[in-house]
Amino acid sequence: QVQLVESGGGLVQPGGSLRLSCAASGRIFSINAMGWYRQGPGKQRELVALITNAGSTNYAASVKGRFTISRDNAKKTVSLQMNTLKPEDTAVYYCSAAISQADGLGYLHYWGQGTQVTVSS
């Protein structure tokens, strides 16, 4: 069993900041890429930011320069620092991770339950 549990969502005014965190637990041998996706009202789920186990990052154009993704491999956590938030950032944010549960097994994609971020005055 593998679980990804997010925390840190909430309501914030435009221009404000929030920090999302996600912790992976359970039977985990290795974690490859970790990332954050979001799904706004009436929209498809989209990639926000991705980070490899070596620390390489990739961001959606809409958040580049405002959001920062980081991870702690020892603690099996990934975080998303979101600054200068805009109303269009309103969405449910999902943590994701590619996880192998044993040596020799491939990586499967796991998702968290999602956390709501609302940017509104």
Side-chain angles (χ1 to χ4, degrees):
Q1 290 278 358
V2 171
Q3 276 192 315
L4 298 179
V5 178
E6 300 116 334
S7 60
L11 173 64
V12 64
Q13 291 187 342
S17 298
L18 277 177
R19 185 177 180 85
L20 305 182
S21 295
C22 172
S25 63
R27 186 185 171 199
I28 297 172
F29 174 75
S30 175
I31 303 177
N32 198 341
M34 303 183 81
W36 291 91
Y37 291 72
R38 68 186 181 187
Q39 187 165 14
K43 297 181 180 179
Q44 290 189 334
R45 190 173 298 189
E46 63 175 357
L47 174 68
V48 176
L50 203 64
I51 184 167
T52 69
N53 54 7
S56 296
T57 58
N58 187 34
Y59 295 93
S62 59
V63 307
K64 197 172 291 187
R66 300 188 297 122
F67 292 9
T68 302
I69 190 170
S70 60
R71 66 189 281 173
D72 185 324
N73 290 332
K75 295 182 179 179
K76 301 183 181 65
T77 60
V78 61
S79 298
L80 186 69
Q81 177 66 41
M82 305 184 293
N83 298 328
T84 319
L85 282 160
K86 304 175 180 180
E88 51 264 42
D89 294 318
T90 295
V92 178
Y93 284 70
Y94 297 90
C95 170
S96 75
I99 294 173
S100 172
Q101 291 193 279
D103 191 12
L105 286 183
Y107 290 88
L108 296 180
H109 201 181
Y110 292 86
W111 294 93
Q113 80 284 358
T115 185
Q116 177 70 45
V117 171
T118 302
V119 184
S120 175
S121 54

